[in-house]
């Protein structure tokens, strides 16, 4: 991200400097360097205003997610997907702690609980490494788990919905059906890619065997969750749940406009009723989660300022307009506006960078959150993942240096996420 940030700022500065000496400004129009200076100040102020506007919505959603988490929704999802996970990872013993950690990681990702998903993901990699006969080399299970993570199994993109609401969207939850279709497509491709590529990346028999790294002990609450994830519902229940999830796509196509105003009220009422039925003190749990939402919204201010100022400089310099004008005739034919290209390219590299670009695009009056481009970039944020960050964190936790086909499978999943996001938005917004 350091290089990307520096490259954007330098490109804007150099392009504006070149125009300063080669292009005569129109009457009553600022010079390129004056426009660049004004854009820096205005976008920095706008980033802070955006973050403050995000506080309320982020607080609401994280409060609701805390109620669902306290009510055991993660355990319910874990039991639903466990029969499928056992078949996807045949080399992992069904009762091994790695299976429980992977299930909880994917369940947390499905609910948009990024902070809860990461510890379980690291724990899963550590447990998978215990089964690894070649320490330092990624196993097939590790590569598949990472590919599925980078495909972003997201059923409820709460963070993106919150950002769209803060940007003034009239229908913040409109991205739920598009994200559902895109994430199902990218996850399917991730599984097929990992299974297919492993044939061309055999584990070297000469791989060095290193001493096992010490694994940190689990916290008591994490141990309880892992034990709960070992249970599962019957296979037919899991198949029925998956079929019901897939059936939501045609329902959303046919009745999306009628149903979308109901989504947010139903989410709030449903989560609170779920928590109450599970004997959760819903008010206290909501407030507890809301406190975290306030902190998260304030914590992202520096990231928003950095990337929004950089993108604002690039736009004010004229470089972004030149790039858009050059690529629009080509990418527009495939449903990917050139304005969305920076988002598609940044998402695998930097989560904060992509988040800032998303905020920049949907807060642009010329685009807006409810336009095709606004919905597309929102779907991209919700249905793709920060591939290089996830790979660095998860593989770094177990000192894996030979990643084999993991990178290829993850990038294939990213490309599939972009393609399915375009297809989903073209279908739903046609």
């Amino acid at each position: 991200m350091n290089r990307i940030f520096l490259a954007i700022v330098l490109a804007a500065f150099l392009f504006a400097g070149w125009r300063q000496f080669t292009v005569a400004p129109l009457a009553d129009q600022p010079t390129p360097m004056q426009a660049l200076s004004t854009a820096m100040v205005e976008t920095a102020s706008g980033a802070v205003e955006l973050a403050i506007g995000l506080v309320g919505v982020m607080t609401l959603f994280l409060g609701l997610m805390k109620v669902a988490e306290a009510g055991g929704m993660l355990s319910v999802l874990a039991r639903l997907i466990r029969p499928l996970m056992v078949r996807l990872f045949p080399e992992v013993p069904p009762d091994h702690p790695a299976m429980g950690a992977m299930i909880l990681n994917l369940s947390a990702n499905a609910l948009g609980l990024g902070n809860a998903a990461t510890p379980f993901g690291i724990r899963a990699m550590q447990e998978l490494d215990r089964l690894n006969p070649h320490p330092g080399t990624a196993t097939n299970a590790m590569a598949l788990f990472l590919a599925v993570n980078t495909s972003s199994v997201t059923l409820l993109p709460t963070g993106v919905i919150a950002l769209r609401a803060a940007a003034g969207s009239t229908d913040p939850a409109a991205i739920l059906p598009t994200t559902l279709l895109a994430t199902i497509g990218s996850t399917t491709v991730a599984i097929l890619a990992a299974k297919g590529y492993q044939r061309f990346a055999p584990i070297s028999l000469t791989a060095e065997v290193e001493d096992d790294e010490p694994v940190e002990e689990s916290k008591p609450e994490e141990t309880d969750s892992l034990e709960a994830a070992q249970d599962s519902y019957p296979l037919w229940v899991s198949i029925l749940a998956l079929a019901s999830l897939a059936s939501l796509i045609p329902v959303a196509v046919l009745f999306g406009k009628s149903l979308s105003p109901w989504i947010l009220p139903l989410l709030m009422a449903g989560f609170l009723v779920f928590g109450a039925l599970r004997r959760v003190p819903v008010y206290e749990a909501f407030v507890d989660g809301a406190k975290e939402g306030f902190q998260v919204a304030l914590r992202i201010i520096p990231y928003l300022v950095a990337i929004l100022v950089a993108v604002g400089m690039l736009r004010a310099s004229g470089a972004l307009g030149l790039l858009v004008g050059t690529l629009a005739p080509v990418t527009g034919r495939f449903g990917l506006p050139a304005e969305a290209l920076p988002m598609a390219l940044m998402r695998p590299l930097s989560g904060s960078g992509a988040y800032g670009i998303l905020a920049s695009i949907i807060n642009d009056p010329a685009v807006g959150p409810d336009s095709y481009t606004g919905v597309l970039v929102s779907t991209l944020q919700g249905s793709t993942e920060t591939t290089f960050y996830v790979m660095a964190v998860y593989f770094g936790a177990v000192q894996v240096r030979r990643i084999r086909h993991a990178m290829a499978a993850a990038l294939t999943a990213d490309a599939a996420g972009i393609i399915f996001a375009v297809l989903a938005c073209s279908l739903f917004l046609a």
Side-chain angles (χ1 to χ4, degrees):
M1 191 57 201
N2 293 325
R3 296 178 181 178
I4 295 172
F5 177 68
L6 180 61
I8 293 175
V9 172
L10 288 181
F13 174 76
L14 294 175
F15 194 81
W18 174 76
R19 292 182 63 233
Q20 180 82 13
F21 294 104
T22 59
V23 178
L26 300 176
D28 300 327
Q29 293 293 323
T31 64
M33 295 306 290
Q34 289 175 334
L36 197 65
S37 300
T38 302
M40 292 173 62
V41 176
E42 290 181 350
T43 52
S45 300
V48 176
E49 294 173 3
L50 173 63
I52 293 176
L54 190 60
V55 168
V57 189
M58 186 71 76
T59 297
L60 169 64
F61 277 106
L62 287 186
L64 290 176
M65 297 312 300
K66 188 67 175 181
V67 173
E69 184 181 3
M73 187 172 287
L74 278 180
S75 298
V76 173
L77 285 175
R79 291 189 176 99
L80 277 176
I81 68 175
R82 187 171 186 272
L84 303 176
M85 291 286 288
V86 170
R87 288 160 176 79
L88 279 178
F89 297 88
E91 61 270 44
V92 180
D95 295 327
H96 195 276
M99 187 65 72
M102 287 192 293
I103 290 171
L104 289 173
N105 168 264
L106 297 179
S107 300
N109 274 325
L111 293 176
L113 300 174
N115 292 336
T118 301
F120 286 124
I122 294 174
R123 179 67 178 173
M125 277 294 181
Q126 291 173 333
E127 293 296 341
L128 287 173
D129 197 48
R130 290 179 179 272
L131 300 172
N132 189 357
H134 304 286
T137 299
T139 63
N140 292 336
M142 287 178 171
L144 176 56
F145 175 62
L146 187 106
V148 171
N149 255 272
T150 57
S151 70
S152 188
V153 189
T154 307
L155 305 181
L156 191 59
T158 51
V160 183
I161 293 175
L163 186 61
R164 287 172 52 79
S169 172
T170 58
D171 190 6
I175 64 166
L176 282 176
T178 58
T179 300
L180 178 62
L181 177 56
T183 196
I184 289 176
S186 62
T187 302
T188 302
V189 171
I191 294 171
L192 295 176
K195 293 288 188 180
Y197 293 165
Q198 71 185 35
R199 303 176 183 178
F200 305 101
I203 297 178
S204 174
L205 296 179
T206 60
E208 300 177 4
V209 179
E210 301 172 359
D211 294 334
D212 291 339
E213 293 291 332
V215 179
E216 295 182 0
E217 295 184 358
S218 302
K219 298 178 181 179
E221 61 271 19
E222 183 178 315
T223 302
D224 294 340
S225 299
L226 289 173
E227 292 176 354
Q230 303 304 321
D231 299 328
S232 64
Y233 296 116
L235 178 60
W236 67 268
V237 176
S238 299
I239 295 176
L240 180 62
L242 188 62
S244 301
L245 180 64
S247 68
L248 292 178
I249 296 177
V251 170
V253 173
L254 295 175
F255 307 106
K257 291 184 179 179
S258 301
L259 293 177
S260 61
W262 290 75
I263 293 176
L264 291 183
L266 279 174
L267 284 177
M268 183 161 187
F271 279 23
L272 293 179
V273 170
F274 174 83
L277 293 177
R278 300 299 291 262
R279 301 183 182 278
V280 173
V282 292
Y283 179 76
E284 288 82 355
F286 180 90
V287 171
D288 188 34
K291 292 177 182 177
E292 183 181 349
F294 182 80
Q295 294 169 358
V296 169
L298 295 182
R299 197 182 305 136
I300 65 175
I301 289 180
Y303 300 99
L304 284 178
V305 170
I307 198 65
L308 288 182
V309 167
V311 173
M313 290 176 65
L314 196 64
R315 181 183 293 110
S317 70
L320 187 60
L322 179 63
L323 181 63
V324 168
T326 303
L327 297 179
V330 178
T331 58
R333 297 176 183 177
F334 302 98
L336 181 62
E339 295 88 346
L341 276 177
M343 174 68 187
L345 296 175
M346 178 68 73
R347 188 68 177 106
L349 299 173
S350 168
S352 60
Y355 198 79
I357 290 179
L358 169 64
S360 175
I361 292 174
I362 65 177
N363 281 279
D364 185 352
V367 179
D370 296 322
S371 65
Y372 173 84
T373 300
V375 174
L376 176 58
V377 294
S378 301
T379 303
L380 286 174
Q381 178 74 15
S383 61
T384 54
E385 186 54 270
T386 314
T387 299
F388 293 93
Y389 169 79
V390 172
M391 186 171 297
V393 171
Y394 286 7
F395 279 166
V398 292
Q399 301 298 305
V400 167
R401 296 188 297 273
R402 292 174 289 275
I403 63 174
R404 297 176 62 226
H405 58 291
M407 175 73 76
L411 292 179
T412 300
D414 286 335
I418 295 172
I419 293 172
F420 278 100
V422 171
L423 290 175
C425 293
S426 299
L427 177 64
F428 284 92
L429 300 180

